Amino acid sequence: GLWADPTFKLKCLQLEELLQIRHCVFVMGPAGAGKSACWKMLAGGMTIADPSNKVKVVDLNPKVLPTEDLYGHVSLQTREWKDGLLSVVMRDLGQIEDEKPKWILLDGDLDANWIE
């Protein structure tokens, strides 16, 4: 049978504890370190523990869009605000009228432009 690796279990538990007290968490490490496996395992485990409280996950790679398309911007010609992808995702998740967990994952190389 399969046995859970103690270090992997620890990392999943640490992520769960951080998410209970923080609104924003960075999971960092080299490629192949298990970052994606950790959040996927935690989301799946939370759903198994309470099927009525399924985690909603939106996974984005912020590097595939220009900054203004990611965050939004004011059009210089019309002076109107144009929503970016994150604005749309956050608004959509905010309109879901439940208390279930909602995670927005920015999955990509760490970049000072999208951290702030």
Side-chain angles (χ1 to χ4, degrees):
L2 297 176
W3 295 95
D5 179 72
T7 304
F8 182 72
K9 281 184 2 184
L10 175 64
K11 294 304 172 189
C12 291
L13 289 172
Q14 288 173 337
L15 179 58
E16 179 183 31
E17 290 171 356
L18 282 171
L19 287 170
Q20 289 174 354
I21 60 172
R22 303 272 185 228
H23 292 289
C24 178
V25 175
F26 288 88
V27 179
M28 299 171 57
K35 301 176 298 290
S36 296
C38 185
W39 70 257
K40 288 176 184 177
M41 182 65 68
L42 180 57
M46 290 171 65
T47 301
I48 289 169
D50 184 1
S52 66
N53 204 28
K54 185 175 194 295
V55 178
K56 170 73 173 166
V57 178
V58 178
D59 187 9
L60 309 171
N61 184 340
K63 292 279 194 162
V64 300
L65 295 172
T67 303
E68 58 271 0
D69 290 341
L70 181 63
Y71 294 114
H73 64 280
V74 175
S75 170
L76 295 176
Q77 290 107 1
T78 64
R79 301 265 190 226
E80 291 180 0
W81 175 256
K82 180 171 180 354
D83 280 338
L85 182 58
L86 277 177
S87 303
V88 172
V89 168
M90 291 180 80
R91 186 176 301 112
D92 289 348
L93 291 177
Q95 291 176 350
I96 300 173
E97 295 182 12
D98 62 31
E99 296 296 318
K100 296 177 184 175
K102 298 162 188 75
W103 297 352
I104 300 173
L105 297 173
L106 301 179
D107 190 0
D109 295 334
L110 196 60
D111 186 314
N113 289 334
W114 60 263
I115 285 178
E116 297 176 16

